[in-house]
């Protein structure tokens, strides 16, 4: 009899200590997700910030950067973003007609090889396996 009472007391203790608070957090999180509207800034489970463009029953369309929209499950939203969390701010005015940003300078190297080390450049790189008997072009 004492064992049964102890077992019931332990079950009640576990319910009030672990299960009930978790259910309460889940209900609060679901209520927060249901209250989200298009235009809200949110923090995603990936750690990225985004702006909600469309909100459905199970899915949302999130704009991660101007012109970059993704469709994802609502459950991937952690919470609405706070104003003091974001260091950078993007706006549609920052995007030029060719989808580059005003603040970035896009320069291509004349050779197209950039900072590729010399041994990996096409004109000197030999993809064949190294054969000790045969000298390679860049082994001079």
């Amino acid at each position: 009899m004492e064992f049964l009472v102890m077992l019931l007391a332990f079950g009640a203790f576990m319910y009030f200590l672990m299960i009930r608070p978790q259910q309460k957090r889940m209900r609060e999180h679901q209520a927060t997700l249901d209250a989200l509207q298009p235009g809200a800034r949110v923090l995603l489970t990936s750690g990225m910030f985004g702006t909600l463009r469309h909100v459905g029953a199970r899915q949302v369309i999130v704009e991660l950067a101007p012109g970059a929209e993704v469709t994802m499950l609502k459950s991937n939203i952690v919470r609405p973003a706070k104003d003091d969390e974001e260091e950078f701010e993007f706006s549609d005015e920052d995007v030029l007609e060719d989808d580059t940003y005003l603040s970035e300078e896009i320069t291509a190297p004349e050779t197209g090889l950039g900072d590729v080390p010399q041994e990996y450049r096409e004109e000197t790189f030999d993809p064949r396996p190294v054969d000790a008997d045969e000298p390679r072009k860049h082994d001079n």
Side-chain angles (χ1 to χ4, degrees), residues 8 30 34 44 47 50 60 79 81 122:
L8 287 174
Q30 190 61 44
D34 291 340
L44 305 173
V60 293
R79 59 180 163 74
E122 188 175 319

Side-chain angles (χ1 to χ4, degrees), residues 2-124:
E2 287 181 25
F3 177 72
L4 187 59
V5 172
M6 290 293 285
L7 188 62
L8 287 174
F10 181 72
F13 177 74
M14 293 300 289
Y15 175 77
F16 284 106
L17 188 65
M18 296 178 71
I19 298 170
R20 191 166 181 233
Q22 179 64 25
Q23 288 176 340
K24 182 180 176 185
R25 279 192 296 273
M26 286 175 45
R27 280 193 302 271
E28 289 172 353
H29 185 254
Q30 190 61 44
T32 302
L33 293 181
D34 291 340
L36 292 173
Q37 297 295 321
R41 293 288 292 169
V42 292
L43 176 64
L44 305 173
T45 55
S46 61
M48 292 189 281
F49 291 96
T51 304
L52 295 179
R53 291 296 171 217
H54 301 284
V55 179
R58 292 180 313 195
Q59 295 180 337
V60 293
I61 296 178
V62 180
E63 184 179 48
L64 301 174
E69 293 182 348
V70 294
T71 302
M72 59 181 45
L73 294 173
K74 238 186 199 182
S75 60
N76 286 336
I77 298 173
V78 176
R79 59 180 163 74
K82 299 175 185 166
D83 293 334
D84 61 344
E85 289 180 320
E86 298 187 66
E87 293 181 28
F88 306 106
E89 185 175 319
F90 296 102
S91 68
D92 291 334
E93 292 85 38
D94 293 341
V95 181
L96 299 175
E97 290 178 11
D98 61 350
D99 291 335
T100 58
Y101 289 95
L102 293 174
S103 60
E104 74 181 31
E105 294 180 22
I106 300 176
T107 57
E110 291 179 18
T111 62
L113 298 174
D115 293 331
V116 176
Q118 184 67 30
E119 65 264 16
Y120 296 113
R121 293 189 184 190
E122 188 175 319
E123 63 267 7
T124 60

